[in-house]
Amino acid sequence: DNEFIEEIIVAMCKQVDEIMSKIGSAEEGKKPITQATSHWRGLNSSSLLEPIVRLYNITKEKKYLDFAEYIVQCGGTSVENIFELAYENNLYPYQYPVTKAYEMISCFEGLLEYYRITKNDRYKTAIINFADKILESDFTVIGCSGCTHELFDHSTVRQANTTNGNIMQETCVTVTLMKFFYQLTLLTGNPKYVDAFERSLYNAYLGSVNSEKRIEPSIKKEYPEIHLEPLPFDSYSPLTSGTRGNKIGGFKIMPDNHYYGCCACIGAAGIGLVPKMAVLKSYNGLAINLYIPGTIKSETPSGNQISIANETDYPRSGKIKITISLDQEEEFTIMLRNPQWSKTTCVTVNGEITAVREGYVEIQRLWKDGDIIKMELDMRTEAIKPIPYGQQILMNKVVWGQNYIVPTFDREDPLAKSHIALRRGPLMLALDSRLGIDPDTPVSIDIGEDGYVNAVIPESDMAPYQHIVEVCIPTKDNSYFRVTDYASAGKLWTEESKMAVWLRTIN
């Protein structure tokens, strides 16, 4: 609706013009953007950068690009230039003086949009450095960041601590990471960012979907007068033994007595990213990134119509069949993402084995209508152990009302080393108390010398809830226990469906 599009653009311009009339250089009598809010030293205000650049792309009005440049020059916070910190690459994000995760990621999303216009390689370096530091230091097995509500806090090493509390791994952070990984894939063509996107999608993100339409338990007690209704997404996700449904991030009561929250708002953007990431155009063909059943239509490098039909029950299994439909034959390249976790990937084209390598499997050939690609990924169950760290100093204590984050002393939980996480393909596996074992009870897991577990899918499922996959895990006493995918577990949001992805084991 072109008329409606114009109305939207006019509305956006009015809003940004109003912001620009109040926010800017102090010399011009305006309030600096890094002083515009009472928390996070301006990081949240600076995260406007991405939509400002996008508005410039729509309107081509230089004043919006100038405002974006002003935000970039301010550096994201009033205490330190986070873009310079990322470029220098000496600190991890959890060591920055302000560690609010999703606002910081949003600032770098904005810098990425700004880089696309300016082509300043210094910005590109900063963006990639920042992303890679997150993957190294603050990316958990479920594909989120933050064991202290929504702060960067070295969660890669802290995620198996039983002392973290239950307000952690926020859905806002998950979705913002997914957005960032999508943009990084477009920027770099590096499949490691698709791997990270997929981890977030199949674990933290799908786990946050309120499929059972539950109401967060504390709301009923604390606000009996409000209009009770289920929100579409949960805000926080457990790692060690715990429940879902712990508070509502950004909780707000509306004038009509309805309520909402930030995670409920941003959640829809996660699923919207999936078809965008699934298949991307490359300089000489197409890159198939996500193995989702269905058909995607696109164009070949010469502009011919192509249809890619994907038959699979992935990620339940690793078997994928892709049928190519073309109006006319054409030589180009199809790139298949070979996930980092798949060590024994097999690919055939029309029955002939194709050479496989890490990253993308590139198949350049004369493609014809009806060509069939088959792919089989390594779906063995891998045991993951926590990373020991002893002790450290973190920036994860917020002094509310004074706008400070101050250093804290953090010590590794002695119980962390007794925990194991199980990964099968892109799926993390989890205990749910409805499967017959209390997640607080230590379990025995028979792990092979190669680090893999000889797990099997049972002939009949026992789980009394919908799930992607149920798996039998062998124990050292020649028995087994059952787990399901993490995203499907814990959906009652009560002790009845207590769950854990980090399983406490018997030494």
Side-chain angles (χ1 to χ4, degrees), residues 334-345:
I334 290 180
M335 301 163 61
L336 304 171
R337 180 179 61 94
N338 183 17
Q340 184 275 332
W341 44 260
S342 183
K343 308 302 182 186
T344 59
T345 301

Side-chain angles (χ1 to χ4, degrees), residues 61-71:
E61 291 197 34
K62 187 174 181 296
K63 63 181 179 180
Y64 299 132
L65 185 61
D66 291 344
F67 190 52
E69 182 181 7
Y70 160 75
I71 297 172

Side-chain angles (χ1 to χ4, degrees), residues 16-300:
V16 175
D17 289 346
E18 177 68 13
I19 292 170
M20 290 169 55
S21 73
K22 303 288 196 305
I23 300 296
S25 169
E27 287 77 12
E28 298 176 1
K30 299 178 181 179
K31 178 169 284 189
I33 194 165
T34 56
Q35 298 175 21
T37 48
S38 58
H39 292 302
W40 314 118
R41 296 292 179 176
L43 191 68
N44 43 359
S45 298
S46 299
S47 70
L48 280 172
L49 178 58
E50 179 192 20
I52 299 297
V53 179
R54 287 187 166 196
L55 187 59
Y56 166 75
N57 289 335
I58 291 171
T59 65
K60 300 303 179 187
E61 291 197 34
K62 187 174 181 296
K63 63 181 179 180
Y64 299 132
L65 185 61
D66 291 344
F67 190 52
E69 182 181 7
Y70 160 75
I71 297 172
V72 171
Q73 294 305 315
C74 287
T77 79
S78 61
V79 290
E80 189 60 86
N81 187 318
I82 62 171
F83 304 137
E84 286 298 313
L85 290 179
Y87 178 78
E88 293 162 2
N89 208 29
N90 294 320
L91 298 178
Y92 291 98
Y94 75 89
Q95 296 170 322
Y96 289 10
V98 182
T99 54
K100 189 69 159 58
Y102 72 84
E103 284 92 334
M104 192 184 300
I105 301 166
S106 292
C107 286
F108 279 90
E109 283 185 282
L111 188 66
L112 196 156
E113 292 285 3
Y114 189 66
Y115 161 76
R116 288 188 171 122
I117 295 172
T118 63
K119 304 300 182 186
N120 185 331
D121 283 338
R122 187 180 183 91
Y123 297 148
K124 182 178 180 180
T125 298
I127 294 159
I128 294 172
N129 286 348
F130 174 72
D132 291 349
K133 280 284 199 267
I134 289 176
L135 290 179
E136 182 181 349
S137 70
D138 252 293
F139 198 53
T140 65
V141 291
I142 65 169
C144 192
S145 299
C147 292
T148 310
H149 46 96
E150 61 267 28
L151 302 185
F152 286 127
D153 63 354
H154 209 185
S155 57
T156 296
V157 303
R158 299 182 66 232
Q159 58 184 310
N161 289 353
T162 63
T163 53
N164 287 326
N166 57 12
I167 306 298
M168 60 189 299
Q169 304 288 281
E170 193 185 40
T171 301
C172 284
V173 180
T174 301
V175 176
T176 311
L177 281 169
M178 291 170 67
K179 289 176 60 196
F180 192 38
F181 294 144
Y182 169 68
Q183 294 290 356
L184 284 159
T185 303
L186 299 181
L187 178 71
T188 68
N190 193 324
K192 72 179 179 182
Y193 300 120
V194 190
D195 285 351
F197 179 100
E198 183 181 59
R199 187 196 298 188
S200 300
L201 167 64
Y202 282 120
N203 297 287
Y205 179 73
L206 291 183
S208 73
V209 177
N210 186 6
S211 56
E212 299 300 310
K213 298 184 178 180
R214 312 299 285 193
I215 294 174
E216 200 278 319
S218 69
I219 295 295
K220 299 178 183 179
K221 299 177 182 178
E222 296 176 18
Y223 304 96
E225 74 285 356
I226 67 173
H227 182 81
L228 293 174
E229 60 184 350
L231 298 183
F233 295 91
D234 191 8
S235 291
Y236 304 101
S237 298
L239 292 171
T240 55
S241 181
T243 60
R244 299 192 190 274
N246 300 299
K247 301 292 184 182
I248 295 173
F251 177 71
K252 272 293 191 193
I253 300 176
M254 307 302 173
D256 65 357
N257 245 19
H258 285 78
Y259 63 95
Y260 226 67
C262 53
C263 298
C265 292
I266 196 174
I271 203 67
L273 289 164
V274 175
K276 296 169 75 70
M277 179 67 101
V279 176
L280 294 172
K281 290 183 178 179
S282 68
Y283 68 95
N284 61 351
L286 297 166
I288 301 176
N289 288 316
L290 302 177
Y291 302 108
I292 298 171
T295 300
I296 289 181
K297 295 181 179 180
S298 186
E299 292 181 349
T300 66

